[in-house]
Amino acid sequence: QDKVLNAPDRYNYRRALEALENNKLEEAVDFCEKDLEESPKDARTLAMLAAAYHLSEQNEKALEILDETVKLWSGKSGENVVNPYFLRATVMLEMEDTVKALEDLELAIRTSETRINIRAEQLEIYYAKGDNEKVKEVGEITIQESPNYTTVYYYLGLVALDEEMWNEAFAFADKIEKLGKEDL
């Protein structure tokens, strides 16, 4: 599969990944469990199993597996099928534990090649908490990493509006509009 670099070439692993991608959650769980019989310490399989439980709205099981997964996770390139820190942050947000979620998002950034979704999650959480300084801080980092990512300008624009900095807010809106036209 092109999407997953360095994915294990094991039948049950491939079938679990395919089932998860097709939202066949029970099937994904079955194939993950079979793959774990072969490779009990494979963090990628554990992360997929946790994702399947999370998507099945079984967050308690997902968290239990994720706690084990992060102990085994190397963060090597190609293991980002499901980043366990990002997934655990997602579960913690659903359980309204933003402190733990933000901690896990920081860990996810350190072990992920695709940080942009993680940064977007951080921006959303910090803005919802009313922490405009953290929105600005994460916003600046995000612009350095990905200057054409419109979401960052959206949150920075909201902060500028909150702080009644009208010129900055309009500048961010212009930036979003220009970037949006480039995408067409």
Side-chain angles (χ1 to χ4, degrees), residues 72-89:
L72 299 169
W73 193 256
S74 71
K76 289 181 188 166
S77 174
E79 287 195 2
N80 294 325
V81 177
V82 177
N83 185 307
Y85 297 112
F86 186 71
L87 181 55
R88 193 168 66 179

Side-chain angles (χ1 to χ4, degrees), residues 160-175:
L161 288 173
D162 289 349
E163 295 177 352
E164 299 181 2
M165 300 182 78
W166 312 120
N167 290 338
E168 279 188 40
F170 286 122
F172 289 128
D174 284 345
K175 184 76 172 172

Side-chain angles (χ1 to χ4, degrees), residues 55-113:
L55 293 170
S56 301
E57 298 181 9
Q58 298 179 53
N59 283 338
E60 196 171 304
K61 274 187 179 179
L63 279 177
E64 188 178 304
I65 294 164
L66 286 166
D67 289 342
E68 179 64 24
T69 306
V70 297
K71 292 176 192 168
L72 299 169
W73 193 256
S74 71
K76 289 181 188 166
S77 174
E79 287 195 2
N80 294 325
V81 177
V82 177
N83 185 307
Y85 297 112
F86 186 71
L87 181 55
R88 193 168 66 179
T90 303
V91 173
M92 296 312 293
L93 276 176
E94 288 176 12
M95 299 174 78
E96 300 181 5
D97 186 343
T98 56
V99 172
K100 181 65 178 149
L102 288 166
E103 288 172 10
D104 277 343
L105 288 173
E106 282 299 324
L107 292 168
I109 287 167
R110 290 187 214 144
T111 61
S112 178
E113 293 174 1

